[in-house]
Amino acid sequence: MNFKKLLVAVDASENSARAVAYVGEMVGNTRGFHVTLLYVERFPERDTFPNEDSWRAACQKEEKTIRDFLEDSRRQLVNSGIAPEHVTVEYASASSLGARRSEGYSVARHVLQFHQEGGFGTVVVGRRGVSKAEEFLFGSVTTKIVHSAKDCTIWVVQ
Amino acid sequence: MDKVIWEKVQRILPSLSLRDQGQVYVDTSEFMNISYGDVIALNGRHFVVIRDEAERRFGMEDPKFWVKRCRDLETEELYILKLVFHEHFDQHIGSMTIRCFRSPEKESRILELVKNDVRFMQGVTLNDTANNPVRILEMIRGRSLDSVIEDIDVDHASYFQEYFPGILKKYIGACEAVLFLHDHGERHGDIRRDHIWIEHSTGRYRWIDFDYAYESTENPFGLDLFGLGNILLFITGQGVHTTHDLAALSQGLDDNLTPEDFSLLFPNRLVNLRKRFPYIPISLNRVLLRFSAGTDVFYESVEELLDDLKPCLKELGAA
């Protein structure tokens, strides 16, 4: 594993923004690092919309927000001193990942799969800190990654 | 109203006079306007409305105007008709608030999935002329699990010995039914002790009401598991044991209890029931503790819950 090959899992939240900023600070002016920003798409739940049209509109809006965030983050990393050719952006669409309605689709699992296949030595995630009750009811992508990742260093940016 | 239909309505509702004759609705969008004596016509079938259904919770009657108790004019069978109501609201669980949606499409999909599976309520979906999916639900003649348990008038020790093993066995069957939903990419969405109905004629446990939907999360089955944990706590304790109830006991029990003994989501609800009823086996109590504030490990699937629960049944001698 190449520890200078960083995989930053993001979702356009403030936690993700902090993780990106931290990566910029840490490796910005150091040679040899390659940073991949990864977003694993999770569609809004279809059942929470009254019809197909309103759901599709929400999906499109969400996608635009994420793509804007990814582009801003890429620019921020380049501005921090990382060569543009060493910053990669990956938008993993739900359809490409075979996601279905509510079958236990796990963002964490897809991040870890990406990490394994890409040979990333470092995984970076943001974390807002969830209560025990929230973790029980909703789960936590960060906690799952921390518990399940192997052969890598994990940076958890709080 | 057509003369033939009116005659059938009169046969079912003889007290209804010609002056009070209702309307025939082929579009159910304005469900508030549909009331006693009106007829809902769907795909060649006709249902006369008897009344709006109501839900009784915490001693309050909550009318559900989109849920109509009806009789089929042809067969005279009773049905529950659920009309389309795209409601969204906040559900409060302990200190947490969860955005919840009422999805007729989800319920229709699950009804199709569980067709002929007696562990679930049965019904079909017929679209009205405005394309609203109206769910025609068969009545379950029985009572809710909580009301049955509340009526068992014996002390806990007797309950636990005589009734609980049989109840646990059926509860495990109900958990397996939820696992079936999960295995097919669905969630029940509103698992509560009054959403299991015990059928009078068979004693079967049957799940009702599948229309709640939530936003996706990393633990998609967390809410269902939370509901199953609450029911397990209820059937094991023969009710809920709160700090208030415990304070009334003069056994010095309070000194022995810590915040970790209580529910992860409801800090006043005792989960470590073995401290209250020492004859509850450790293995069963351990399952309960997975839903307590003191736990560090959560169930992520019903399968994990069942793996721990089935040996408890053997231990109680009811396998």
Side-chain angles (χ1 to χ4, degrees):
Chain A
M1 291 284 176
N2 177 0
F3 290 98
K4 288 189 169 181
K5 202 171 169 192
L6 273 68
L7 179 65
V8 188
V10 296
D11 65 356
S13 63
E14 280 182 24
N15 321 306
S16 293
R18 279 201 308 278
V20 171
Y22 182 79
V23 168
E25 290 274 325
M26 291 297 285
V27 307
N29 288 310
T30 314
R31 293 170 71 86
F33 281 91
H34 191 123
V35 180
T36 296
L37 293 163
L38 169 67
Y39 171 70
V40 175
E41 188 175 61
R42 194 203 302 265
F43 284 139
E45 184 77 27
R46 168 64 185 87
D47 288 332
T48 62
F49 292 85
N51 54 52
E52 195 75 7
D53 288 348
S54 57
W55 176 67
R56 285 196 187 283
C59 290
Q60 282 167 5
K61 189 178 170 199
E62 177 97 350
E63 182 173 344
K64 184 179 180 331
T65 303
I66 297 291
R67 289 200 185 275
D68 289 349
F69 177 88
L70 286 169
E71 180 49 31
D72 289 348
S73 300
R74 191 196 65 78
R75 204 176 297 125
Q76 189 181 345
L77 291 174
V78 170
N79 289 342
S80 72
I82 305 172
E85 64 273 21
H86 287 167
V87 181
T88 308
V89 170
E90 291 283 350
Y91 184 105
S93 69
S95 53
S96 72
L97 297 166
R100 282 192 301 165
R101 218 161 31 242
S102 55
E103 61 171 3
Y105 176 73
S106 165
V107 169
R109 198 177 66 231
H110 287 304
V111 169
L112 291 172
Q113 194 180 329
F114 208 88
H115 146 254
Q116 282 290 332
E117 289 168 1
F120 294 92
T122 303
V123 176
V124 186
V125 281
R127 180 186 171 91
R128 72 185 162 95
V130 293
S131 70
K132 238 187 201 184
E134 281 175 279
E135 196 177 328
F136 173 63
L137 288 182
F138 310 126
S140 158
V141 173
T142 303
T143 304
K144 263 195 192 169
I145 288 174
V146 169
H147 283 170
S148 311
K150 288 176 188 161
D151 304 324
C152 67
T153 302
I154 301 176
W155 297 356
V156 178
V157 182
Q158 189 116 14
Chain B
M1 190 178 287
D2 178 89
K3 188 170 175 264
V4 178
I5 291 176
W6 170 240
E7 279 170 8
K8 287 178 180 174
V9 169
Q10 271 196 314
R11 200 168 58 231
I12 290 168
L13 302 174
S15 61
L16 204 66
S17 69
L18 190 60
R19 201 182 50 198
D20 299 324
Q21 192 184 87
Q23 291 188 47
V24 177
Y25 286 88
V26 292
D27 174 355
T28 60
S29 303
E30 302 298 325
F31 57 79
M32 293 289 282
N33 296 338
I34 306 173
S35 59
Y36 178 76
D38 288 329
V39 170
I40 298 172
L42 299 163
N43 204 20
R45 291 177 70 179
H46 298 86
F47 302 89
V48 62
V49 177
I50 309 292
R51 63 174 165 89
D52 293 323
E53 285 293 294
E55 193 167 64
R56 206 171 166 76
R57 295 202 81 191
F58 312 116
M60 306 270 283
E61 190 110 314
D62 186 14
K64 295 160 101 176
F65 299 109
W66 67 98
V67 185
K68 312 284 184 191
R69 182 173 294 211
C70 300
R71 265 191 204 278
D72 186 317
L73 282 187
E74 281 72 41
T75 65
E76 299 194 7
E77 278 288 311
L78 271 176
Y79 289 95
I80 302 287
L81 266 62
K82 273 175 119 172
L83 310 180
V84 169
F85 181 31
H86 280 124
E87 180 189 27
H88 49 94
F89 51 93
D90 290 334
Q91 194 179 13
H92 301 284
I93 302 179
S95 60
M96 298 179 64
T97 302
I98 299 167
R99 196 77 175 137
C100 181
F101 301 80
R102 197 177 286 286
S103 169
E105 293 80 9
K106 172 178 177 267
E107 189 157 70
S108 292
R109 212 170 52 226
I110 293 182
L111 283 171
E112 191 59 31
L113 174 68
V114 302
K115 197 173 184 175
N116 298 324
D117 186 337
V118 292
R119 299 174 299 178
F120 300 91
M121 70 177 184
Q122 294 292 299
V124 295
T125 303
L126 296 176
N127 282 11
D128 68 13
T129 56
N131 228 15
N132 292 308
V134 178
R135 285 133 292 151
I136 320 290
L137 305 174
E138 292 173 15
M139 295 282 291
I140 299 174
R141 286 174 173 79
R143 293 172 67 201
S144 62
L145 174 66
D146 58 334
S147 64
V148 169
I149 287 184
E150 277 162 4
D151 280 357
I152 299 175
D153 191 20
V154 294
D155 63 76
H156 185 270
S158 308
Y159 164 81
F160 196 74
Q161 197 178 0
E162 293 166 30
Y163 294 87
F164 179 68
I167 291 169
L168 180 63
K169 190 173 183 178
K170 288 185 174 174
Y171 166 81
I172 285 174
C175 290
E176 286 169 338
V178 173
L179 178 60
F180 171 82
L181 294 182
H182 293 181
D183 284 345
H184 288 80
E186 299 288 0
R187 292 174 280 185
H188 182 287
D190 195 15
I191 289 189
R192 304 184 333 208
R193 56 185 186 251
D194 58 342
H195 280 171
I196 292 180
W197 275 69
I198 304 179
E199 198 171 41
H200 281 320
S201 57
T202 62
R204 277 189 196 115
Y205 284 22
R206 303 183 67 178
W207 289 106
I208 62 166
D209 285 6
F210 321 127
D211 56 350
Y212 274 25
Y214 305 89
E215 202 41 81
S216 312
T217 68
E218 189 64 12
N219 187 14
F221 306 126
L223 272 164
D224 275 2
L225 277 159
F226 162 73
L228 290 176
N230 276 339
I231 297 176
L232 179 64
L233 188 64
F234 184 85
I235 61 171
T236 308
Q238 194 189 4
V240 173
H241 299 269
T242 64
T243 41
H244 179 75
D245 305 327
L246 295 168
L249 295 169
S250 53
Q251 297 178 357
L253 193 64
D254 281 353
D255 304 339
N256 190 22
L257 295 174
T258 67
E260 285 74 33
D261 292 325
F262 289 83
S263 163
L264 183 59
L265 282 114
F266 302 110
N268 69 336
R269 194 175 290 186
L270 183 66
V271 168
N272 192 351
L273 288 179
R274 199 173 142 83
K275 284 196 174 177
R276 171 82 177 80
F277 306 113
Y279 42 82
I280 291 178
I282 290 172
S283 58
L284 174 60
N285 203 54
R286 202 178 290 135
V287 177
L288 294 176
L289 289 178
R290 289 279 197 107
F291 299 94
S292 74
T295 189
D296 287 318
V297 186
F298 308 117
Y299 289 121
E300 282 192 17
S301 71
V302 178
E303 211 164 8
E304 290 172 0
L305 170 65
L306 285 168
D307 284 348
D308 284 353
L309 209 49
K310 284 179 178 173
C312 301
L313 192 62
K314 275 191 183 160
E315 204 174 331
L316 291 166

